[in-house]
Amino acid sequence: MINISLLMIMVATALGLVWLRNLLAVVMFSGIFSLTAASLWVVLGAVDVAFTEASVGAGIATVLGLASLALTRTEHEKRTRVFHLPALIVVLVTGAALIYGTLDMPGWGDPDAPIHTHVAPRYIEDSLAETGVPNIVTSVLASYRGFDTLGETTVIFTAGVGVLVLLGRGRRYPVANPRVAAGGGPGRAPAAPGSEGAAVPGDSGEMRFKAILRVGGKLLIPPILLFAFYTQAHGELGPGGGFQAGVIFASAFILYALLFGVPMARAVAPASVLRGTLALGVLIYAGVGIAGVLLGGNYLDYSVLAHDPVHGQELGIILIELGVGITVASAMMTVFFVFAGQDPQQVD
Amino acid sequence: MFGFTALGVLLAMALVLVRGLAGPTVYDRILAVNAFGTLTVLLIAVHGFLSGRPDFLDIALVYTLINFIALIAVTKFAKFAHLGGPFEQRSWSDV
């Protein structure tokens, strides 16, 4: 009942996303979509996924969407009302093929489905004895599927590096950056009449007088950081882990940057430090694997890290989760600082 | 009892969604997003008690937190059209 209602809300939100032309509203609605998806994961019992969806999809993605909107300087999608028949046919055929593909899938909750008979029983029965970690999601993610997670962490690292390479020098050499230069050129789309976002750039000094927000935000930052550490440390016992903790940790800095400006936040977390920690996390992860090889095991086999295999597994999982958390936090902070740190006055 | 509450929350979600879609001003949508986030937290809490597993309430905590930060970002964008400011030199007393 709750499932169906949430799915209907998701469909309505998705249709709204297609229908809306105001890009600010689109960004906000994608946040709503993520929130609905996250509550659906909770209802279905996938709390770790819900945790990630809530922190990444509803939080960071919204903030980054707004930051990129600020860089493009346009709030309205261009209206193209051309009826394109081949495109419609392609979409319909693909959709029909996808729906046809689902017909062969086993029913929801079917105990004989391959996913419930292949490796899942082994994880459920043996993972606690083999790794000593009560949260099966964490033991699968960090130990059994350690290679996959190393790949994911590397993807996040690469994303951070990519943003740095493309936009990282935008503030120092504003004209050398084609994207920013195009946004500030004479041909840029004028702000739509009546849009509340068309404030004069540079009047953000007003933020100085938002005393309640600033004091309230400052008071919130320590609990947010503490909660990030709790999520990091608690990932073995309950929902949580490096990905979520990294995002929550970064969101504290993003909150600070929103309230006091990116230059102030940059003073707390300098670019040179973030570049180092961005690589450090992946290095820790890969280093744990190398340490396993040196101690006579396979790559990313944690059993050889300590005298007791179970203890070694726990140690390895804690270390690689730490690496994931460091890289994710640095990547999120880097991307936000670079996106939001483009000074509109310098860009103009 | 919890079932009725869940029903009410879902109904409120649908109404808020309609307001967000209809707009017309950006402030209607900001309020809609904020109310939707709060309702999501309520739904998770109600569902926790409905299914007898209220131990996932710390996820609801994340939702509140994240929704708050996203809301500040949206309002700042709506007012100043960018997120990074202020850029001018400032006193160091705020660090």
Side-chain angles (χ1 to χ4, degrees):
Chain A
M1 176 63 204
I2 293 183
N3 287 356
I4 293 169
S5 319
L6 280 175
L7 273 174
M8 277 166 63
I9 289 177
M10 269 178 94
V11 170
T13 318
L15 289 176
L17 274 169
V18 176
W19 177 71
L20 282 169
R21 292 288 152 186
N22 184 330
L23 289 178
L24 176 58
V26 167
V27 169
M28 288 196 274
F29 261 74
S30 58
I32 289 189
F33 188 82
S34 281
L35 279 172
T36 324
S39 19
L40 197 60
W41 304 139
V42 173
V43 172
L44 290 175
V47 277
D48 283 88
V49 186
F51 216 141
T52 317
E53 178 74 46
S55 46
V56 179
I60 297 282
T62 308
V63 175
L64 288 184
L66 289 172
S68 37
L69 212 55
L71 285 183
T72 56
R73 307 291 192 84
T74 171
E75 256 193 42
H76 284 265
E77 193 182 340
K78 276 185 194 150
R79 231 168 245 280
T80 45
R81 287 230 175 269
V82 183
F83 184 72
H84 203 275
L85 187 67
L88 184 69
I89 292 173
V90 166
V91 168
L92 283 179
V93 168
T94 315
L98 287 173
I99 291 171
Y100 177 74
T102 62
L103 294 180
D104 278 345
M105 279 167 64
W108 190 75
D110 182 4
D112 295 328
I115 190 153
H116 294 136
T117 53
H118 182 44
V119 284
R122 189 189 134 88
Y123 291 152
I124 292 168
E125 281 159 21
D126 298 340
S127 72
L128 183 59
E130 281 179 355
T131 64
V133 172
N135 185 3
I136 299 174
V137 176
T138 299
S139 62
V140 170
L141 182 118
S143 184
Y144 295 107
R145 299 286 168 95
F147 272 108
D148 294 4
T149 313
L150 178 62
E152 286 164 23
T153 316
T154 317
V155 165
I156 291 167
F157 168 73
T158 316
V161 170
V163 167
L164 273 177
V165 167
L166 288 175
L167 292 170
R169 290 180 175 271
R171 279 200 72 204
R172 261 176 289 167
Y173 309 107
V175 187
N177 187 332
R179 238 187 102 191
V180 176
R188 76 181 164 98
S195 81
E196 288 82 358
V200 188
D203 68 349
S204 56
E206 295 288 320
M207 210 64 190
R208 200 181 178 83
F209 303 108
K210 304 275 182 282
I212 296 176
L213 249 189
R214 290 158 68 102
V215 173
K218 258 188 190 173
L219 285 175
L220 263 176
I221 287 170
I224 294 176
L225 290 177
L226 188 66
F227 189 68
F229 287 127
Y230 162 77
T231 311
Q232 173 85 45
H234 199 252
E236 297 201 352
L237 305 172
F243 284 99
Q244 296 93 329
V247 170
I248 295 169
F249 192 83
S251 69
F253 282 81
I254 289 175
L255 175 63
Y256 186 75
L258 284 173
L259 294 176
F260 297 97
V262 167
M264 297 294 280
R266 278 282 201 200
V268 183
S272 51
V273 173
L274 282 186
R275 258 176 295 179
T277 49
L278 187 63
L280 178 71
V282 184
L283 202 64
I284 291 177
Y285 200 139
V288 170
I290 301 281
V293 172
L294 290 180
L295 289 168
N298 288 323
Y299 190 70
L300 289 177
D301 177 10
Y302 315 130
S303 301
V304 292
L305 291 178
H307 294 296
D308 179 31
V310 175
H311 191 190
Q313 287 284 345
E314 275 188 276
L315 184 68
I317 288 173
I318 287 174
L319 281 175
I320 67 120
E321 287 276 7
L322 189 68
V324 170
I326 291 174
T327 290
V328 169
S330 318
M332 296 299 156
M333 271 146 68
T334 305
V335 173
F336 178 76
F337 285 169
V338 168
F339 270 36
Q342 312 279 343
D343 191 331
Q345 282 166 327
Q346 279 193 30
V347 169
D348 283 337
Chain B
M1 193 62 211
F2 285 127
F4 278 116
T5 320
L7 203 66
V9 170
L10 282 169
L11 200 66
M13 276 172 142
L15 289 176
V16 161
L17 200 64
V18 169
R19 170 47 72 205
L21 278 173
T25 69
V26 71
Y27 302 107
D28 292 309
R29 297 205 163 110
I30 289 175
L31 271 177
V33 171
N34 194 21
F36 198 90
T38 313
L39 288 170
T40 314
V41 173
L42 284 177
L43 186 72
I44 291 171
V46 169
H47 181 264
F49 288 108
L50 196 64
S51 61
R53 292 198 305 174
D55 40 338
F56 294 137
L57 281 179
D58 49 348
I59 299 179
L61 201 64
V62 180
Y63 284 46
T64 334
L65 199 76
I66 292 294
N67 203 36
F68 171 69
I69 295 174
L71 189 77
I72 288 185
V74 169
T75 42
K76 186 171 182 184
F77 181 83
K79 187 149 173 61
F80 300 121
H82 65 87
L83 296 178
F87 289 104
E88 71 268 26
Q89 281 304 107
R90 302 278 311 285
S91 73
W92 286 86
S93 60
D94 281 330
V95 173

